[in-house]
């Protein structure tokens, strides 16, 4: 409690240093409390008395101190309290004008010269000086606090607020800025990810992905632009400097950062930052030396021609004008840790220690950092140091269209590719991932020539890119049909061994020695799967990496399937992710089957599990019966059949683990399974195999009434796999997919399993009216489908005609929840048309829309004769007394209604009087919720006395 009220997060962290002796932490806490003055000391002693056993607290004297924390508000002064409550904004205000504030305090006699010198210590950055100043002022009491606030107010009124003051950089800094901009521009102008060797202009191909804030964020709705990443929207921790861009493999994180870099270098975006330093965590893995922050910046980004110390000092003095970006935190060999604290920017340390201290703000506090990572690599330890998190969800449907058109200069070819996607919704769903969309566009000839064999799975798409690259390098007389793989088998095995042996060690950049060990030749390199890495380490030898990390996973899977040199336990180990993670081997999956040179001690990194899952998904797909003809001349049939059986056993065993974890239901409640992301991965593996018998076997053992898959990163690809497997359930279930990224395409992918869903929950999924049109058209045909919840989507009045048709048609439909969308009075009237003919609906939720009085009246007119309606919510809809008067008729006449929610409307006393009169005729209604309407406290008190069923 003392921390929440008196200490900043930074101060709390400095006291609670893991690994330091407890007595040292205790002394640090006492020193800190002492500097904050008499009031804080009193609070500390009172808090100490509360937590210590009575026998130990006898010796403490609280004379002159308040005896309880509850008395704090009675004696804490206004200005001192402002310094505490407004601390983050005051720190920003004081940056750049601490000298003026110190002068004001010195003149007033409240500060000594020694106090000023202590604040001005050159080792502190401007933001640290501001924090130190605030601490000193609070320790001096109310007069000092009042003087400081008056100074800040005068600066603001004079129009010269500190945030408007722009420093004048030294001449050498300006030269360095131009050099850095030129360097960043040169590195960013061509697409560096998949296809980096083709010199594709980023301007020509870049297509914006879907950026979203967390669903529980106040600013979650509305589209985000690139500059919003470092903007204020979605900020959850003002004290933190790090923004995380989170997205699945292939969602476009690296390309997004590259676009940001290019726009900054051109001077068209992020112009609040004078310098931008880009880093790749994949390449930082290669740095074996210990470096200082200065060496990290100048050696890994851009070296100043002269005056390095002057330039770095300007960076230290003005951290808020600097931006760092770190791409691929999940690819770092070490997992995030905040155990090794580092505060001095000139002190040398291993690169990962520097990075972790930069992220958490111990180093270079005030510098904004943007970090990209896959979501699996981001744990609670890292999240507590984040300013905010932004989610990159890949392409929207219009983004797919835009990307394909940009990729093909011939509009006719683009039209054919898009037409092919429209006829294959499974492939269209895959194209929401930018890397898969690139593959499909790159392989348009193979796509358009495949007829009935159009790709259905991720494995199909990667086999298509494999064929495209291999046959591109082949002679004109190359093998036709399925023999193309056998022709290039040695190349595939060489590259596969390289991928296989190094992916388990979180290695993505390969030396010449690595290539030589695996037999990779110049011919293999020329196939185009490997590109030369822009490695920044001290070595000058060539280093290579795969076009994309998912391609490395694919080649590792090819090696597992085709090679005669892998251990027979490789496939079981690949699928036993949880058990193997606990072994602590950094090469968790392949620990026993790798050469000893690739085995390292230490804990498994966060990058391993998702990469191994992707590899296992590819292994499942490659061993599908559909691809048997490819392996015909590459591997003995008996070996392939054995590996197929291994995968099937692993999938069955994995599913059983999930099913055994289902708790027994409480008496009277339905049996529910809250699935984890690992369950979704197994479902995707089953889908990749494309064998219904395996899906049937898996689902035959799942006996639940409700399947919950919330916050599981479910997108269109996952929806396709879920529908393929869940359609084989024996009994109907409620399917809950809240807080995912299903979208309209995902909704369409779910349709094959609609017949098995008795209820469908799709809150926060970016679904529009078009998705609803397809969903309802299918739902009407499904007898089991009886409930739907669509809170927080992008629905308008256009969707209500489809729901109206549903209500007219399905006389067993029970619940319709459409809260927090964009439905107006017109939409409510459409729903009323359907409700006229419905005799089954029990729950109707429309909270957070805009139906107003006219909409409430339309609904009331048809619902007053309902004998089934139990619950109605029109909260937050702009309903006034006119609407309340109409709703009173429902209350008066309904024999089934139990509860109405009317909170956050604009109902006055007159409207409530109508509700009270209606309640006199109906004892069946249990409550009417009316909080936050247009009523005075006196009216609320009076009406509560008159009618206890009114809830205010």
């Amino acid at each position: 409690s003392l921390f929440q009220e008196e200490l900043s997060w930074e101060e709390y962290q400095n006291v609670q240093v893991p690994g330091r002796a407890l007595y040292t932490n205790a002394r640090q806490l006492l020193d800190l409390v002492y500097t904050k003055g008499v009031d804080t000391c009193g609070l500390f002693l009172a808090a100490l008395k509360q937590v210590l056993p009575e026998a130990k607290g006898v010796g403490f004297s609280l004379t002159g101190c308040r005896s309880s924390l509850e008395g704090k508000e009675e004696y804490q002064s206004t200005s001192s309290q402002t310094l505490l409550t407004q601390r983050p904004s005051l720190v920003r205000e004081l940056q750049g004008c601490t000298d003026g504030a110190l002068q004001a305090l010195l003149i007033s006699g409240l500060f000594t010269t020694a106090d000023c010198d202590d604040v001005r210590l050159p080792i502190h950055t401007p933001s640290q000086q501001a924090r130190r100043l605030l601490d000193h002022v609070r320790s001096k009491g109310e007069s000092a606090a009042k003087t400081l606030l008056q100074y800040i107010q005068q600066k603001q009124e004079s129009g010269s607020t500190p945030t408007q003051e722009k420093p004048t950089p030294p001449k050498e800094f300006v030269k360095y800025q131009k050099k850095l901009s030129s360097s960043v521009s040169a590195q960013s102008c061509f697409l560096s990810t998949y296809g980096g060797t083709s010199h594709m202009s980023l301007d020509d191909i870049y297509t914006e992905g879907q950026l979203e804030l967390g669903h529980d964020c106040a600013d979650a709705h509305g589209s985000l632009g690139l500059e919003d990443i470092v903007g204020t929207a979605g900020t959850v921790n003002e004290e933190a400097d790090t923004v995380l861009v989170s997205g699945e493999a292939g969602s476009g994180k690296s390309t997004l950062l590259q676009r940001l870099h290019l726009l900054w270098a051109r001077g068209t975006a992020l112009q609040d930052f004078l310098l931008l330093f880009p880093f790749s965590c994949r390449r930082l893995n290669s740095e074996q030396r210990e470096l200082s922050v200065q060496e990290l910046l100048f050696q890994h980004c851009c070296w100043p021609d002269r005056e390095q110390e002057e330039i770095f000092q300007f960076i230290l003095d003005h951290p808020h004008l600097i931006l760092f970006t770190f791409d691929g935190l999940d690819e770092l060999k070490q997992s995030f840790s905040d155990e090794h604290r580092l505060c001095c920017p000139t002190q040398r340390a291993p690169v990962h220690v520097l990075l972790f201290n930069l992220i958490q703000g111990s180093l270079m506090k005030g510098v904004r950092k943007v970090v990209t990572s896959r979501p699996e690599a981001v744990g609670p330890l890292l999240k507590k140091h984040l300013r905010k998190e932004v989610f990159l969800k890949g392409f929207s449907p219009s983004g797919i269209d835009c990307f394909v058109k940009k990729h093909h200069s011939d509009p006719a070819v683009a039209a054919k590719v898009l037409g092919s996607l429209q006829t294959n919704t499974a492939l269209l769903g895959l194209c929401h991932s930018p890397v898969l969309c690139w593959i499909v566009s790159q392989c348009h000839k193979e796509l358009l020539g495949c007829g009935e064999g159009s790709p259905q799975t991720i494995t199909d798409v990667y086999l298509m890119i494999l064929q495209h690259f291999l046959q591109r390098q082949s002679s004109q007389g190359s093998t036709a049909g399925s023999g193309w793989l056998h022709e290039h088998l040695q190349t595939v095995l060489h590259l596969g061994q390289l991928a296989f042996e190094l992916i388990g060690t979180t290695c993505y950049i390969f030396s010449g020695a690595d290539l030589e060990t695996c037999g990779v030749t110049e011919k293999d390199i020329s196939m185009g799967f490997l590109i030369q890495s822009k490695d920044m380490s001290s070595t000058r030898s060539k280093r290579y990496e795969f076009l994309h990390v998912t391609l490395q996973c694919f080649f590792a899977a090819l090696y597992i399937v085709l090679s005669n040199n892998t251990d027979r336990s490789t496939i079981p180990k690949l699928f036993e992710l949880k058990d193997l993670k606990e072994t602590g081997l950094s090469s968790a999956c392949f620990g026993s089957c790798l050469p000893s040179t690739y085995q390292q001690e230490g804990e498994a990194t966060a990058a391993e599990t998702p990469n191994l899952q992707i590899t296992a998904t590819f292994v499942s797909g490659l061993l599908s019966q559909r691809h048997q003809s490819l392996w015909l001349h590459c591997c003995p049939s008996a070996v392939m059949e054995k590996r197929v059986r291994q995968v099937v056993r692993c999938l069955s065993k994995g599913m059983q683990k999930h099913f055994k974890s289902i708790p027994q239901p409480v008496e009277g409640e339905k049996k529910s399974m809250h699935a984890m992301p690992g369950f979704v991965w197994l479902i995707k593996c089953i889908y990749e195999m494309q064998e219904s018998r395996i899906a049937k076997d898996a689902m035959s053992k799942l006996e639940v009434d409700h399947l919950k898959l919330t916050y599981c990163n479910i997108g269109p690809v996952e929806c396709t796999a879920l529908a393929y497997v869940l359609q084989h359930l024996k009994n109907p279930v409620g399917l809950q997919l809240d807080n995912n990224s299903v979208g309209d395409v995902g909704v369409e992918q779910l349709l094959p399993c609609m017949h098995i869903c008795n209820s469908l929950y799709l809150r926060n999924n970016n679904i529009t009216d078009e998705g609803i049109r397809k969903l309802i058209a299918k739902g009407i045909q499904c007898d089991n489908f009886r409930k739907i919840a669509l809170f927080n989507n992008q629905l308008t009045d256009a969707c209500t005609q489809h729901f109206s048709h549903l209500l007219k048609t399905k006389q067993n439909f029970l619940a319709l929840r459409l809260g927090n969308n964009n439905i107006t009075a017109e939409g409510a009237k459409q729903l009323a048309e359907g409700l006229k003919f419905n005799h089954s609906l029990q729950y109707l939720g429309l909270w957070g829309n805009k139906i107003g009085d006219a909409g409430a009246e339309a609904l009331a007119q048809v619902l007053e004769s309902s004998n089934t309606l139990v619950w109605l919510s029109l909260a937050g809809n702009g309903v006034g007394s006119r609407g309340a008067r109409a709703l009173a008729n429902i209350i008066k006449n309904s024999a089934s209604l139990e509860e109405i929610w009317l909170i956050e409307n604009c109902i006055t006393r007159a409207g409530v009087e109508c509700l009270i009169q209606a309640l006199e005729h109906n004892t069946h209604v249990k409550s009417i919720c009316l909080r936050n309407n247009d009523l005075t406290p006196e009216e609320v008190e009076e009406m509560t006395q008159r009618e206890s069923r009114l809830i205010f």
Side-chain angles (χ1 to χ4, degrees), residues 1-4 7-33 44 337-342 357 360 362 381 384-385:
S1 63
L2 183 67
F3 154 60
Q4 292 174 348
L7 307 185
S8 70
W9 180 253
E10 184 184 46
E11 292 166 336
Y12 176 74
Q13 291 286 79
N14 286 335
V15 171
Q16 291 279 75
V17 177
R20 193 167 68 184
L22 286 176
Y23 62 82
T24 306
N25 286 344
R27 288 195 176 98
Q28 180 80 9
L29 175 60
L30 290 172
D31 291 341
L32 181 60
V33 170
F44 172 71
S337 168
D338 59 2
E339 290 183 6
H340 303 288
R341 287 301 181 88
L342 196 64
N357 279 276
Q360 64 187 308
S362 300
L381 190 64
K384 71 180 183 180
H385 297 295

Side-chain angles (χ1 to χ4, degrees), residues 402-422:
C402 179
F403 181 87
V404 171
K405 288 177 179 177
K406 284 186 173 185
H407 195 275
H408 297 285
S409 56
D410 186 346
V413 174
K416 286 180 181 178
V417 173
L418 290 171
S420 179
L421 293 179
Q422 293 303 323

Side-chain angles (χ1 to χ4, degrees), residues 279-288 291 296 300 326 332 351-352 355 509 535-536:
F279 297 96
S280 162
C281 293
R282 176 183 293 193
R283 293 176 187 123
L284 289 178
N285 277 332
S286 304
E287 181 57 80
Q288 302 300 318
L291 301 174
L296 178 71
H300 275 264
F326 295 97
L332 206 66
V351 168
H352 71 276
L355 176 53
I509 295 180
D535 189 12
M536 296 290 217

Side-chain angles (χ1 to χ4, degrees), residues 1 11 62 85 190 245 286 353 446 460 635 761 885 944 950:
S1 63
E11 292 166 336
L62 304 182
T85 59
F190 293 108
V245 178
S286 304
V353 174
E446 290 84 353
D460 293 346
C635 194
Y761 301 87
R885 192 177 302 113
T944 303
L950 298 181

Side-chain angles (χ1 to χ4, degrees), residues 622-741:
L622 291 170
L623 289 171
S624 168
Q625 295 295 320
R626 299 158 66 238
H627 300 309
Q628 269 188 335
S629 60
L630 274 178
W631 321 132
L632 203 57
H633 304 292
C634 300
C635 194
S637 297
V639 174
M640 297 301 286
E641 288 172 6
K642 181 180 179 181
R643 288 172 180 170
V644 170
R645 290 194 296 271
Q646 279 186 311
V647 170
V648 173
R649 278 198 301 270
C650 289
L651 292 175
S652 178
K653 183 180 176 182
M655 281 293 186
Q656 287 302 311
K657 280 187 179 180
H658 282 279
F659 299 160
K660 287 177 182 177
S661 68
I662 302 173
Q664 289 300 313
V666 177
E667 188 176 348
E669 292 188 0
K670 293 182 177 180
K671 189 174 183 181
S672 178
M673 173 182 172
H674 192 160
M676 296 293 106
F679 175 79
V680 180
W681 163 62
L682 290 172
I683 292 281
K684 289 170 74 174
C685 290
I686 293 172
Y687 174 71
E688 290 292 315
M689 297 202 80
Q690 289 287 291
E691 293 184 44
S692 57
R693 66 177 179 84
I694 299 174
K696 284 179 182 176
D697 180 65
M699 291 298 99
S700 66
K701 302 176 182 68
L702 178 58
E703 296 180 358
V704 292
D705 301 304
H706 191 85
L707 183 57
K708 191 173 183 180
L709 287 157
T710 57
Y711 293 103
C712 283
N713 292 313
I714 305 288
V717 176
E718 290 73 22
C719 288
T720 306
L722 280 170
Y724 179 82
V725 177
L726 295 182
Q727 64 181 317
H728 297 294
L729 281 167
K730 293 188 294 186
N731 299 310
V733 297
L735 182 58
Q736 188 168 352
L737 295 171
D738 298 336
N739 303 301
N740 285 295
S741 304

Side-chain angles (χ1 to χ4, degrees), residues 234-253:
T235 299
V236 294
N237 182 359
E238 290 276 0
E239 289 284 308
D241 302 317
T242 300
V243 176
L244 174 68
V245 178
S246 178
E248 298 293 342
S251 60
K253 302 181 295 295

Side-chain angles (χ1 to χ4, degrees), residues 219-238:
D219 307 310
H221 289 285
S223 59
L224 292 178
L226 285 179
E227 289 205 85
D228 292 323
I229 293 172
V230 293
T232 56
T235 299
V236 294
N237 182 359
E238 290 276 0

